[in-house]
Amino acid sequence: MLQEFRDFIARGNVMDMAVGIIIGAAFTAIVKSMVGDLINPIVGLFLGGVDFTNLYFVLSGAVPTGASLEAAREAGAAVFAYGAFVMAVINFLIIAFVVFMLVRYVNKVKEMAMKQEEPAPEPEAPKAPSELEVLLEIRDALRK
């Protein structure tokens, strides 16, 4: 069983997947920063200074008016945090778009590499005359 596990781990696609997961985790931090620090303030500016991350409804419990989502949660209130959900959707859309662009680029690179690897078509060999053409030539040469 240990040998099978070693063989499984040593396969190339498992290692590629592990690298992808690690890069994905690092990429998630970049996207969170981009959304939280760049996109969220711009969207909030267009919506009159609204910060999506603090949009919520209090379902039960006492929360002071204007309290942040974190303060409402610390107060023990049950909150419906739709702003956090909106931010999660924006994060997903950005990640999906970037992954789409990455896959598109990789496919173009693969396509270019395949075109370079294709051997150039060989020039066609000159067509040999048919038997009839040879006989006609001989006949014409004998007439002269």
Side-chain angles (χ1 to χ4, degrees), residues 11-94:
R11 276 197 253 168
N13 55 357
V14 173
M15 297 306 285
D16 292 343
M17 184 178 68
V19 169
I21 289 171
I22 292 168
I23 290 174
F27 184 70
T28 300
I30 293 170
V31 170
K32 281 184 181 180
S33 175
M34 185 172 91
V35 170
D37 300 332
L38 302 175
I39 294 175
N40 207 15
I42 293 171
V43 172
L45 180 67
F46 286 116
L47 296 177
V50 176
D51 181 11
F52 275 124
T53 55
N54 285 319
L55 296 177
Y56 64 92
F57 289 117
V58 177
L59 299 175
S60 68
V63 176
T65 305
S68 69
L69 176 62
E70 186 176 325
R73 285 181 174 161
E74 286 177 6
V79 293
F80 183 74
Y82 65 91
F85 176 75
V86 169
M87 291 313 303
V89 169
I90 291 172
N91 281 344
F92 169 76
L93 292 175
I94 291 170

Side-chain angles (χ1 to χ4, degrees), residues 89-109:
V89 169
I90 291 172
N91 281 344
F92 169 76
L93 292 175
I94 291 170
I95 291 171
F97 178 74
V98 171
V99 168
F100 167 75
M101 295 303 290
L102 181 66
V103 168
R104 187 173 173 219
Y105 176 74
V106 168
N107 287 340
K108 283 184 181 182
V109 168

